[in-house]
Amino acid sequence: MYKVLWATDTLEMAASDVLAGMDQAIADGVNIMSLSLGFTQTPYFKDVIAIASLSAIEKGIVVICAGGNAGPAPNTTINGAPWIITAGAGTIDRSFVATLNLGNGLTVEGTSYFPESVYITKAPLYYGKGSLSKAMCNFSALDPKEVAGKVVLCDNSTNNDISGQMDEIQRAGAYGGIFLTDKLTLVPSDYIIPSLVLQTNSGTSIREYVTRDNNATVKSMRFVITRLGTKPAPQVANFSSRGPDPISPGVLKPDILAPGVDVLAAIVPNRPFMETGVYNLVTDYALYSGTSMATPHVAGVAALLKAVHHDWSPAAIRSAMMTTASTIDNTHTILKDQGTGLPTTPLDFGAGHINPNKAMEPGLIYDMDLQDYIDFLCGLGYSMKQMRAVIRRNQWSCSQNPTNLNYPSFVAIFPKGGSSPTGKNFSRVVTNVGDDTAVYHAVLAVPTGMRIRTEPSTLTFTSKHQKQSFVVNVEIDKNAPTINYGYLKWIDQHNHIVSSPIVAIYG
């Protein structure tokens, strides 16, 4: 592990330290680099992580970086250089809850990260009926004489977020809280008092009970409960940065989705993690969320693949992860957005959610080496000074007949107002890493308004490590949606499915 950031760093100091740390790791001969950090989006010749990562790739080192936490807005990915594996964050099928039993027999379950196994029984239930400000638990609205020692129900507030509501009921001396919201924005350390959070529509029956019964009570509240098998899962984390990549929109980013929500992580045990009542709580492990949590998951899979396939390049390892990733959740539908519950696209989840076991035997790989990335940079129009900065050498050659970057995904960008139908061609080369003999057939999933063709549509391999090339043609209609996507899947007789998303961006 290399420490590269300090609390007193300026941006320039941090960039210098990160570059130095990565260079030292290269000199030390590491196999994998996992970077749960990033800087603002900038051209590659100014991006220290992109610069050092390219040097690492030259030495065969796999580099995985966090894709950013600026979602769900588009064009927010960071660390999107095509030689970097860019990780997005997904949820897992595990939830942390509290149970609530009311005096009228109603039982509900809500989200709660309150860390202590307290048990509340026979507590009065308070709701500020008749006062909108009290009902919403707005700042300084609650009267301690009315609230102290009670469990308080707080309506969804337009003036105060749940964290602020929690502060308010704690100030007023409440015993616990029930919060209704349409958008869960709390992190585990926000749960400073015993409380649970419910969707607004789920709390209607509680509000009706406490409004009608002047002696409404909480029969019991239990905390520190873990549920498995949560559905739908995985979902794209609401904060996970989305494409198109602002620096190279023609390269699909993020590459892959991995667990990045409520990940149990080691933390400094002698510093307060959170407050509970008047006490500071310390712990060896805590739940954290972010693409920084997803990144080490991807790095771990990369290490496993490197252990099994010693001769695979960083590009081959990324290809194996991407072409075997899953785009389906545990309800057998397309991955959804954690915040909206709506279906997502490859601009949100890349190739899909990582599947370590399938990545071990991908069948085919899309491979690349340093020269492929140099050719890519040659096509960006960089000056000689800028090229020297990013590739860190004084001499290089650009291919006289450059081809498309041999990426395991496709992005076709069509300007508005272009002729219709408009076509884009992509050339690719795949290497057989599966059975010695195999015949792959192209299976296309094509949405309305988009046309995809492959030439040839069959790839025949007679030996391992044999290479075959093909061309993909993508066309869209003039009235096509802004974002449309389909899939190319190469399927052989040995049950290998080599899947690649094809995204069309119109405008």
Side-chain angles (χ1 to χ4, degrees):
M1 182 179 293
Y2 298 79
K3 180 173 175 59
V4 295
L5 296 177
W6 282 262
T8 56
D9 277 353
T10 64
L11 182 61
E12 291 76 14
M13 291 165 61
S16 177
D17 289 340
V18 169
L19 181 60
M22 294 180 71
D23 282 346
Q24 185 61 54
I26 295 171
D28 291 343
V30 303
N31 294 305
I32 311 288
M33 283 195 198
S34 175
L35 283 84
S36 290
L37 52 86
F39 297 97
T40 54
Q41 302 150 336
T42 187
Y44 303 131
F45 56 84
K46 293 182 179 179
D47 185 340
V48 295
I49 294 178
I51 292 168
S53 295
L54 190 58
S55 298
I57 295 299
E58 185 177 5
K59 299 295 185 181
I61 300 169
V62 185
V63 182
I64 303 96
C65 293
N69 302 322
N75 303 106
T76 52
T77 49
I78 60 172
N79 296 323
W83 47 89
I84 293 173
I85 302 176
T86 309
T91 65
I92 55 180
D93 63 343
R94 178 181 64 186
S95 56
F96 301 93
V97 302
T99 58
L100 170 69
N101 296 306
L102 298 178
N104 65 347
L106 178 67
T107 299
V108 295
E109 190 172 273
T111 300
S112 180
Y113 294 90
F114 187 71
E116 297 182 279
S117 187
V118 299
Y119 182 46
I120 296 175
T121 58
K122 299 178 182 178
L125 179 60
Y126 173 87
Y127 176 64
K129 55 188 176 184
S131 169
L132 186 62
S133 185
K134 288 183 177 180
M136 291 184 174
C137 303
N138 288 335
F139 180 70
S140 296
L142 298 177
D143 185 348
K145 295 178 182 178
E146 298 176 351
V147 170
K150 299 178 181 179
V151 175
V152 179
L153 175 67
C154 297
D155 267 339
N156 190 20
S157 175
T158 56
N159 301 320
N160 201 3
D161 61 17
I162 302 177
S163 182
Q165 291 176 317
M166 202 171 289
D167 288 337
E168 172 60 12
I169 70 170
Q170 184 186 43
R171 179 199 65 81
Y175 202 25
I178 304 165
F179 301 95
L180 308 183
T181 182
D182 292 322
K183 188 175 183 182
L184 180 59
T185 57
L186 291 181
V187 296
S189 57
D190 288 332
Y191 284 77
I192 56 178
I193 65 171
S195 50
L196 61 81
V197 179
L198 296 168
Q199 289 287 326
T200 301
N201 56 5
S202 301
T204 303
S205 54
I206 302 175
R207 190 190 300 109
E208 290 176 351
Y209 167 56
V210 71
T211 300
R212 294 174 182 172
D213 190 336
N214 292 327
N215 296 309
T217 59
V218 171
K219 189 175 180 181
S220 67
M221 287 181 77
R222 292 180 180 271
F223 297 89
V224 193
I225 301 170
T226 302
R227 298 287 188 226
L228 303 178
T230 302
K231 295 182 179 182
Q235 294 178 301
V236 180
N238 60 309
F239 57 77
S240 189
S241 289
R242 317 298 169 99
D245 186 72
I247 306 302
S248 293
V251 179
L252 183 64
K253 294 288 178 172
D255 290 307
I256 198 81
L257 209 65
V261 175
D262 291 343
V263 176
L264 191 63
I267 64 170
V268 179
N270 59 354
R271 294 181 185 174
F273 168 67
M274 63 179 292
E275 293 180 0
T276 55
V278 297
Y279 300 102
N280 288 324
L281 181 69
V282 295
T283 179
D284 294 316
Y285 299 92
L287 296 171
Y288 277 96
S289 298
T291 54
S292 289
M293 297 293 105
T295 300
H297 282 86
V298 180
V301 175
L304 290 173
L305 292 175
K306 190 74 173 176
V308 175
H309 304 284
H310 305 284
D311 58 338
W312 278 12
S313 69
I317 288 173
R318 172 178 52 203
S319 175
M321 288 192 279
M322 290 180 64
T323 60
T324 58
S326 174
T327 61
I328 303 300
D329 64 22
N330 58 4
T331 67
H332 308 293
T333 57
I334 194 72
L335 297 175
K336 299 177 183 65
D337 185 275
Q338 181 191 21
T340 65
L342 298 175
T344 52
T345 77
L347 293 177
D348 306 309
F349 56 70
H353 194 275
I354 198 166
N355 188 323
N357 289 338
K358 286 189 176 180
M360 294 290 179
E361 297 184 17
L364 303 175
I365 56 170
Y366 295 77
D367 207 358
M368 286 183 279
D369 58 22
L370 179 65
Q371 186 59 46
D372 293 299
Y373 298 123
I374 291 176
D375 289 341
F376 167 79
L377 291 166
C378 290
L380 297 182
Y382 284 177
S383 67
M384 297 287 283
K385 181 180 179 181
Q386 292 166 343
M387 285 291 290
R388 281 195 295 269
V390 68
I391 65 176
R392 306 170 95 178
R393 59 180 63 189
N394 292 319
Q395 293 183 334
W396 64 90
S397 62
C398 297
S399 174
Q400 298 301 310
N401 298 298
T403 58
N404 300 123
L405 201 60
N406 199 40
Y407 222 75
S409 57
F410 303 79
V411 179
I413 302 174
F414 301 92
K416 286 278 189 183
S419 59
S420 180
T422 306
K424 299 278 186 181
N425 288 327
F426 301 88
S427 59
R428 293 290 191 270
V429 177
V430 288
T431 304
N432 178 29
V433 294
D435 297 86
D436 288 342
T437 59
V439 179
Y440 285 84
H441 298 279
V443 177
L444 298 168
V446 186
T448 302
M450 187 176 177
R451 288 171 298 284
I452 304 172
R453 290 182 290 109
T454 61
E455 180 59 41
S457 59
T458 301
L459 301 177
T460 301
F461 296 90
T462 56
S463 63
K464 206 163 188 175
H465 306 303
Q466 183 181 357
K467 299 180 184 292
Q468 295 281 12
S469 61
F470 64 93
V471 175
V472 173
N473 176 266
V474 181
E475 294 181 349
I476 61 168
D477 293 339
K478 193 172 184 179
N479 59 350
T482 303
I483 304 294
N484 213 355
Y485 72 96
Y487 283 91
L488 164 62
K489 297 182 180 182
W490 291 105
I491 302 176
D492 74 349
Q493 72 272 35
H494 306 293
N495 297 318
H496 291 115
I497 301 176
V498 187
S499 181
S500 295
I502 302 175
V503 179
I505 303 173
Y506 186 35

